[in-house]
Amino acid sequence: MAARYNAETKTFILETAHSSYMMKVSRYGNLLHMYYGSRIPDEDLDYLLTFSDRGFSPNPYEAGNDRTFSLDFLPQEFSGSRSGDYRSPSLELVWGEGGSAFGGKVAGYEIRKGACRIDGMPGLWAEPQEQAETLTICLADPVSKVEAELSYTVFAEKDVIARSVKLVNRGKDVVRLEKLMSATIDFRDSDYDLIYFSGRHTMEREFRRIAAADGVHAIGSSRGASSHQYNPFAIVCEKDCGEDRGQCWGISLVYSGGFLIEAERDQYKQLRLNAGLNPSGFSFLVEPGGDFQAPQAVLAWSDQGFTGLSHIYHRIFRENLCRSPFRKKMRPVLLNSWEAAYFDFDDEKILAIAREAADLGVELFVLDDGWFGKRDDDVSGLGDWTVNQEKLKIGISELSRQIHEMGMQFGIWVEPEMVSEDSDLYRKHPDWCLREPGRPPVRGRYQLALDLSRRDVCEYLIEAMNSLLESAHIEYVKWDMNRSLAEAWSALLGTGRQGEVLHRYVLGLYYVMDQVILKHPDVLFCGCCGGGGRFDPAMLYYQPQIWCSDNTDAVNRLKIQYGTSFAYPVSSMEAHVSVCPNHITGRTVPFGTRGIVAMDGIFGYELDPLKMTEEEKDACRKQIQFYKKYYKVIVDGDYYRLASPYENPYFTAWQQVSQDKKKSLVSIVITDREGNDAQRFVRLKGLLEDGYYRIEGLKGKYSGKLLMSAGIPVPGSLGEYEGIQLVLKMA
Ligand code: GLA
């Protein structure tokens, strides 16, 4: 059994194939965190709890004169506010006449098959139910009558534990919730490093590693989206943890809005990790009899270093997250019109580009921004999701028909959550956007955000998107979101409830996506938020792939995709070949290298094929054929980071190995060259030690053990920014 309770030792035990997670009910009913790490036998862990009288660490009343029992020191599963624990709590609330303490004690538990359903939000699912088991522990506060239901869904075989919390108000007073963390993990010590992924627009998810230090180190977003600035994923690891060895713990929040992940090293050098909704500016009124659900946090542990941890996340996100049937289907190679034409096109130009794309072997043509409303630049038109007749005289349906005639599928760009002031929608419903009364709104890319906390706005969007999808043969939708939210004020929510707006916006978005995306299982949806500003597991529940970054510079992409790969599988990252000099960085990189880097994801193009040289067209055809030939290895294979763009100044390398380990693809890109350079080698990974492999283009065959121990020479003939893909096949 993946979850059980040992009544003798009063211990809750969660077990996965390689890990154990244990909690214990204290002698006063508190739920203490005992252990998360390598799988251990069911033993009494009481000896791990040490007690001493610590100055200024208060004691619960029920401890009588025992000054050694203090929540300020003990490791907890869920830290209540004003309870004598001064670390950053899991919960903050106000109820009745202003009471803000929560002294939740274990009041019961339940274990059942299947995953925990997260009300109104995406989460990991188990089908069949036997894939997971859920333990729910109820912590009840007898005075406020508030209960916290902690849920732990154990995917035993996949080494994953998904946590969430539901706050239930069983009292007579309204409770104002001000903070609710989805997961709190108290480590007994703190000699760890923290890893997180930060960045900015066009440079997302850069790898950062710092030592845990006294105080609180927090990452998060208050932008209404999970953000370019910090990804809702973090790792705590041992100091000597690296790619292949060492213990590490991952936490990933299945949420697309403002979040907080904080790591606090306390006065006793213990580390607390908290992850959940961003409490800044947040409050939520929970009526008597009502409840509030926190988003899901996905936990994983590995002693196989970051590779082990990544493989756990890749697998669970590939198999138990996305609802779309495209999760398992081969995705088409696409060409997107954005960098080819921006806003400057008409139907003739689009058809000419499409014709050329079809000739190259592209399978899906995507018409990006600019096809609707009065949209000749980014100042106007958002909100009016009907065709711009001046640009596309033949209309979307006919355009799609002609593109299908060329042998390609047809896709389209939308940005449903936004509105331009110069649009019919805004003129009709100026109150439908987020803004504070009496103040001019804050603009982002000239546009305003629709108030998705309102049901009427959501219903309008569902209708608009569904009619668009029914109006033509559309097989792919790029769902964009191009600004950070600023104001959190909704015309329909009363005073006292405005702190709910940003969370309600996210719930509204999920509702719209439920009604649009999940109702169209035959349409492939791609997430986007100015590139990767909303690259999170909740979006991957709806959309199997996300546009990784607006930055298509292959050298910058090495870092962006490297950082992304820690939590997210190749199947989730859309990556395109674009022109050089690159539109963002001005850098020139060989066409071949651009292809190699874009094949580290769901492959496509973002350029005008009419402007390609014959040589490039030839290379393009070969790239498409190669990608399709090795699609299963690239997208479904196990992923290995061989050389980091942060640590290795000379080259970056990665490798995919097919599930049966018979095929592998090694990609190397040179990032710097020196005169009379050293011969460098790269050690391969994930092969069968006693299997023999042939490397295409080379003579002989070599054992997996040799290739993983001595490595292969990085070809000295490659110049700066040149790259190579090596195909390995078992002999
Ligand atoms: C965002 C996207 C781009 C493109 C533009 C269109 O920036 O990330 O790929 O679709 O919007 O306006």
Side-chain angles (χ1 to χ4, degrees):
M1 279 217 307
R4 59 182 188 277
Y5 180 63
N6 180 333
E8 209 176 302
T9 58
K10 291 187 164 180
T11 306
F12 291 102
I13 300 157
L14 309 178
E15 260 168 15
T16 74
H18 301 98
S19 66
S20 296
Y21 189 112
M22 297 201 190
M23 302 159 257
K24 190 177 173 87
V25 185
S26 82
R27 52 185 180 267
Y28 306 118
N30 320 78
L31 187 62
L32 302 180
H33 177 76
M34 300 302 290
Y35 179 83
Y36 186 25
S38 180
R39 185 154 161 175
I40 51 170
D42 176 3
E43 291 178 73
D44 191 353
L45 301 185
D46 221 30
Y47 78 100
L48 288 173
L49 296 171
T50 58
F51 297 90
S52 55
D53 180 359
R54 295 174 181 274
F56 284 79
S57 286
N59 320 104
Y61 201 78
E62 52 271 32
N65 288 338
D66 178 5
R67 287 178 37 162
T68 68
F69 189 99
S70 174
L71 294 178
D72 197 22
F73 173 73
L74 288 166
Q76 298 181 69
E77 274 302 305
F78 186 78
S79 154
S81 47
R82 317 275 348 138
S83 60
D85 174 6
Y86 298 92
R87 291 165 287 183
S88 189
S90 319
L91 171 72
E92 284 180 59
L93 46 67
V94 182
W95 65 282
E97 289 171 6
S100 58
F102 177 81
K105 301 282 176 65
V106 177
Y109 74 93
E110 184 192 88
I111 294 172
R112 55 173 186 81
K113 290 248 167 302
C116 170
R117 255 202 64 75
I118 310 291
D119 301 343
M121 279 179 278
L124 298 179
W125 41 262
E127 284 163 19
Q129 281 205 349
E130 283 58 38
Q131 286 188 341
E133 220 166 71
T134 296
L135 161 71
T136 309
I137 305 173
C138 175
L139 300 183
D141 179 58
V143 183
S144 63
K145 304 274 191 295
V146 169
E147 290 177 6
E149 286 178 6
L150 313 188
S151 66
Y152 300 79
T153 296
V154 186
F155 291 84
E157 197 234 328
K158 289 179 176 154
D159 278 319
V160 162
I161 297 171
R163 283 183 65 174
S164 180
V165 183
K166 186 186 271 187
L167 199 88
V168 186
N169 181 1
R170 299 206 189 278
K172 292 202 179 70
D173 294 308
V174 174
V175 169
R176 193 171 81 235
L177 183 61
E178 295 184 336
K179 180 181 186 186
L180 182 64
M181 293 286 100
S182 301
T184 297
I185 307 176
D186 277 353
F187 293 80
R188 244 163 259 289
D189 43 14
S190 61
D191 205 12
Y192 298 119
D193 283 349
L194 308 172
I195 293 173
Y196 55 93
F197 301 87
S198 63
R200 55 191 185 274
H201 178 225
T202 70
M203 209 59 216
E204 298 90 338
R205 293 174 296 286
E206 290 214 65
F207 177 88
R208 299 280 178 254
R209 180 172 184 161
I210 58 168
D214 287 0
V216 181
H217 183 84
I219 62 162
S221 161
S222 53
R223 295 170 175 268
S226 43
S227 88
H228 300 86
Q229 284 69 20
Y230 295 100
N231 196 260
F233 175 64
I235 300 171
V236 170
C237 67
E238 291 179 328
K239 291 275 177 207
D240 59 357
C241 182
E243 271 298 340
D244 307 306
R245 56 191 69 82
Q247 289 201 81
C248 46
W249 295 259
I251 192 158
S252 161
L253 197 68
V254 189
Y255 191 63
S256 312
F259 75 94
L260 174 73
I261 298 180
E262 44 183 10
E264 176 173 12
R265 184 156 87 170
D266 69 14
Q267 55 184 330
Y268 302 118
K269 309 295 174 218
Q270 309 179 109
L271 187 73
R272 167 168 294 177
L273 191 65
N274 264 335
L277 290 176
N278 194 333
S280 166
F282 165 83
S283 64
F284 210 100
L285 298 186
V286 187
E287 303 286 343
D291 57 46
F292 180 90
Q293 172 90 56
Q296 190 176 63
V298 180
L299 314 185
W301 167 89
S302 174
D303 60 358
Q304 308 290 308
F306 307 134
T307 303
L309 198 69
S310 293
H311 285 179
I312 295 174
Y313 280 105
H314 290 180
R315 188 160 169 226
I316 199 92
F317 287 168
R318 268 196 316 230
E319 295 176 10
N320 297 80
L321 178 61
C322 186
R323 298 264 47 158
S324 163
F326 283 93
R327 174 177 91 250
K328 290 192 190 141
K329 284 195 208 164
M330 184 162 173
R331 323 275 171 79
V333 173
L334 66 80
L335 184 136
N336 178 297
S337 70
W338 181 240
E339 289 193 27
Y342 294 105
F343 293 106
D344 179 21
F345 59 82
D346 57 14
D347 30 26
E348 275 170 30
K349 183 165 175 184
I350 288 299
L351 286 168
I353 294 175
R355 226 167 275 123
E356 199 64 45
D359 186 55
L360 294 173
V362 168
E363 299 167 302
L364 161 70
F365 180 84
V366 181
L367 180 57
D368 208 277
D369 197 352
W371 61 268
F372 52 88
K374 203 183 114 213
R375 185 82 168 163
D376 295 323
D377 51 31
D378 48 9
V379 181
S380 59
L382 288 174
D384 299 339
W385 298 109
T386 47
V387 73
N388 180 325
Q389 293 278 354
E390 274 169 40
K391 282 165 134 176
L392 299 177
K393 290 176 212 62
I394 60 174
I396 288 294
S397 178
E398 175 57 18
L399 181 68
S400 163
R401 197 192 62 73
Q402 294 196 22
I403 283 174
H404 278 91
E405 237 173 42
M406 297 171 196
M408 288 187 297
Q409 299 178 354
F410 177 68
I412 207 161
W413 178 96
V414 291
E415 194 182 356
E417 298 154 70
M418 298 293 152
V419 65
S420 308
E421 285 158 274
D422 185 2
S423 69
D424 292 342
L425 182 68
Y426 185 76
R427 280 183 283 273
K428 201 161 159 208
H429 296 291
D431 60 326
W432 274 15
C433 64
L434 292 170
R435 66 188 297 176
E436 280 202 9
R439 273 180 214 285
V442 177
R443 291 181 177 141
R445 205 196 188 193
Y446 309 109
Q447 63 205 45
L448 306 181
L450 287 174
D451 178 1
L452 267 63
S453 75
R454 292 173 60 145
R455 200 33 93 100
D456 53 351
V457 175
C458 293
E459 296 299 348
Y460 160 81
L461 279 184
I462 292 165
E463 162 61 23
M465 288 302 114
N466 284 343
S467 353
L468 171 63
L469 286 173
E470 266 115 58
S471 72
H473 192 182
I474 295 170
E475 284 130 321
Y476 168 104
V477 173
K478 178 174 170 190
W479 184 305
D480 212 336
M481 193 269 197
N482 276 319
R483 62 162 291 183
S484 301
L485 306 186
E487 296 96 331
W489 201 92
S490 167
L492 289 196
L493 281 177
T495 320
R497 284 207 175 263
Q498 297 298 338
E500 302 177 10
V501 173
L502 291 183
H503 180 55
R504 285 185 182 274
Y505 176 98
V506 178
L507 295 180
L509 174 64
Y510 294 150
Y511 172 65
V512 173
M513 290 189 157
D514 279 335
Q515 300 302 316
V516 177
I517 299 185
L518 300 189
K519 293 272 151 58
H520 289 93
D522 295 340
V523 179
L524 170 60
F525 283 82
C526 167
C528 182
C529 174
R534 205 161 56 183
F535 205 120
D536 58 63
M539 283 294 121
L540 290 173
Y541 175 87
Y542 295 104
Q543 305 158 330
Q545 59 199 60
I546 298 179
W547 180 225
C548 218
S549 176
D550 274 350
N551 186 345
T552 51
D553 174 304
V555 175
N556 280 180
R557 274 280 183 136
L558 292 173
K559 284 186 174 167
I560 296 168
Q561 293 170 189
Y562 171 85
T564 309
S565 79
F566 276 75
Y568 305 102
V570 169
S571 60
S572 66
M573 304 187 220
E574 211 180 280
H576 300 168
V577 173
S578 66
V579 294
C580 280
N582 183 271
H583 290 185
I584 299 261
T585 60
R587 193 195 322 258
T588 295
V589 171
F591 194 82
T593 304
R594 285 178 259 158
I596 293 173
V597 176
M599 281 189 215
D600 191 15
I602 298 295
F603 184 66
Y605 293 85
E606 178 117 4
L607 44 71
D608 184 351
L610 294 162
K611 297 187 181 144
M612 284 164 94
T613 62
E614 284 308 315
E615 203 184 323
E616 283 173 338
K617 284 184 189 168
D618 203 40
C620 172
R621 286 191 187 94
K622 289 197 180 115
Q623 282 173 348
I624 294 175
Q625 280 164 14
F626 182 90
Y627 177 71
K628 288 172 69 175
K629 184 167 175 195
Y630 294 107
Y631 181 89
K632 278 207 89 50
V633 184
I634 294 172
V635 177
D636 296 335
D638 286 332
Y639 192 80
Y640 294 89
R641 293 171 291 265
L642 301 182
S644 153
Y646 291 90
E647 285 166 12
N648 187 324
Y650 304 109
F651 67 92
T652 300
W654 62 97
Q655 182 187 1
Q656 282 105 332
V657 182
S658 65
Q659 295 296 332
D660 63 7
K661 298 187 186 296
K662 289 188 173 159
K663 279 189 198 154
S664 177
L665 180 66
V666 177
S667 305
I668 306 171
V669 173
I670 307 297
T671 47
D672 195 18
R673 284 304 314 227
E674 287 172 357
N676 203 6
D677 221 343
Q679 176 58 58
R680 303 195 165 85
F681 294 83
V682 58
R683 288 195 185 93
L684 307 192
K685 295 183 182 178
L687 303 174
L688 282 178
E689 288 199 349
D690 50 7
Y692 277 78
Y693 295 84
R694 289 190 194 283
I695 304 177
E696 249 177 41
L698 291 185
K699 285 204 186 102
K701 52 182 183 176
Y702 308 96
S703 70
K705 180 132 199 189
L706 173 67
L707 295 170
M708 293 192 291
S709 310
I712 53 171
V714 174
S717 55
L718 295 176
E720 189 188 50
Y721 301 151
E722 288 184 337
I724 191 167
Q725 279 169 318
L726 299 169
V727 177
L728 274 76
K729 287 186 185 151
M730 202 179 258

